[in-house]
Amino acid sequence: MTEPRTDQPPLDADAPNRPASEAADGDQIGGPVDDVQYVERLRTPLWWYPAAVLVGLLMASEFLLASSGWITYLPFAVLVPGSVALVWRLSSATVAVSEGTLRIGDRSLPLTEIERGIALNPAQLRMLVGRHSDPLAFDFIRSWIGPGVQLVLREAPTSDPADREPYWVLSTRHPDRLLAALATGPPAD
């Protein structure tokens, strides 16, 4: 088990506010525009869709060998759209900073609980979620996105350290933009 990286300074709460119009990938989420500092949709590469169609066709064509008649076309109607839907579902992950909260998928984290953020290149990200990871850390990794961010959390004085995550590791195409948005959050107490 390794310690979280600490070679970066704490997040600067006095950094200039990034308007929502500069959100990554041009995505928007619900709510007032002034409250959104950053939004990024972790989309799959476009070439995955034709690959999904090909995989669905190959799987469905196996049924042509096993039976005959109209029933042989039922796997095509199920497996091809199903494989495309699976790729589309993988693209539904979102990272957003708004209203003093970081939202990742179905999890959220108040910005006041983040001690510092560290930009990670692809090699550092793989190392941090691989052999050198802390089993208590929260990982939100998408394998098709190379860079990422490590968020070291503040220690909570009242909680049991064994129950708390020491850091979060996230995939993002724009670590610098995400860290700038995190720095605009409310100042720590």
Side-chain angles (χ1 to χ4, degrees):
M1 176 166 66
T2 62
E3 293 296 318
R5 290 185 48 197
T6 58
D7 58 347
Q8 297 288 327
L11 293 174
D12 180 15
D14 297 325
N17 192 0
R18 177 179 298 277
S21 62
E22 295 180 24
D25 295 336
D27 292 335
Q28 295 290 325
I29 61 173
V33 174
D34 294 338
D35 294 333
V36 178
Q37 285 89 23
Y38 180 83
V39 177
E40 179 181 1
R41 182 118 181 243
L42 305 178
R43 292 187 174 101
T44 55
L46 290 177
W47 65 267
W48 283 27
Y49 289 96
V53 169
L54 180 63
V55 168
L57 287 172
L58 288 174
M59 289 177 14
S61 64
E62 294 290 325
F63 288 91
L64 288 174
L65 300 173
S67 62
S68 62
W70 69 270
I71 198 77
T72 58
Y73 298 104
L74 185 62
F76 288 96
V78 174
L79 293 174
V80 174
S83 60
V84 171
L86 177 66
V87 171
W88 176 79
R89 177 68 178 113
L90 289 171
S91 287
S92 66
T94 302
V95 176
V97 178
S98 65
E99 300 174 359
T101 303
L102 171 66
R103 289 182 180 81
I104 304 153
D106 60 350
R107 303 265 318 249
S108 63
L109 178 70
L111 298 184
T112 55
E113 291 188 25
I114 301 172
E115 183 176 331
R116 74 179 52 94
I118 304 163
L120 302 171
N121 65 34
Q124 293 169 327
L125 180 67
R126 280 192 305 273
M127 187 173 63
L128 196 57
V129 297
R131 307 174 74 182
H132 303 287
S133 67
D134 187 334
L136 296 178
F138 172 67
D139 297 332
F140 193 79
I141 304 301
R142 297 298 180 254
S143 61
W144 56 89
I145 298 176
V149 170
Q150 178 187 20
L151 303 175
V152 180
L153 304 181
R154 298 184 192 282
E155 292 187 29
T158 59
S159 67
D160 182 14
D163 293 339
R164 182 160 167 92
E165 298 138 342
Y167 58 88
W168 284 22
V169 180
L170 320 170
S171 289
T172 178
R173 287 184 177 89
H174 311 285
D176 53 340
R177 293 183 192 174
L178 178 57
L179 291 175
L182 292 172
T184 64
D189 295 334

